[in-house]
Amino acid sequence: MTPTRLMLRLYFGELMLGPGKADLLAGIAEEGSISAAGRRMGMSYKRAWMLVEAMNAGFAEPLVESARGGTKGGGAALTEAGQQVLAAYRTLEAKLREAGADELATIGALVRSDMSDGK
């Protein structure tokens, strides 16, 4: 039986923040590169950049700072705002999993067995 997954999507008007963008932010923080974070997720360089640009445009302050490549190489890092957004998103995910554990179990128990094994 496949474990139940909880996927949080937050909508702020036209701006959406969900698991993919959160994972991309985490990857940038860990890899120091937008392209490396995208590759790690199986995402094209163009798609990763488009998501970063959308987040940077949608928040009051950019979430990601980047430097172009060159002799010293490029790179990317989360800004303070990016770190705050990612930390708050992960905390909210954890709170929802914990607070909603009983409800998730109730719903999961009502799912057909052939649907919960990944088929």
Side-chain angles (χ1 to χ4, degrees):
M1 183 169 164
T2 304
T4 301
R5 293 183 304 145
L6 177 70
M7 294 175 46
L8 173 64
R9 276 192 172 53
L10 304 173
Y11 293 88
F12 303 94
E14 293 183 26
L15 174 66
M16 191 275 292
L17 179 65
K21 287 179 181 170
D23 289 348
L24 182 60
L25 290 174
I28 292 167
E30 293 166 14
E31 300 284 345
S33 164
I34 295 169
S35 59
R39 271 193 308 275
R40 184 169 100 172
M41 296 175 66
M43 183 183 301
S44 73
Y45 174 78
K46 181 179 179 179
R47 177 78 177 142
W49 264 101
M50 286 174 42
L51 291 174
V52 167
E53 287 175 345
M55 287 186 283
N56 279 350
F59 283 89
E61 298 177 28
L63 303 188
V64 177
E65 290 179 324
S66 63
R68 288 185 171 257
T71 56
K72 295 183 180 181
L78 298 188
T79 62
E80 185 176 333
Q83 293 170 20
Q84 290 175 342
V85 166
L86 180 58
Y89 181 88
R90 294 298 193 214
T91 299
L92 184 54
E93 278 182 317
K95 286 180 178 181
L96 289 172
R97 267 192 300 276
E98 184 178 323
D102 291 343
E103 291 80 3
L104 287 170
T106 298
I107 294 167
L110 297 170
V111 173
R112 285 180 15 190
S113 63
D114 62 333
M115 297 301 289
S116 63
D117 62 6
K119 293 182 183 177

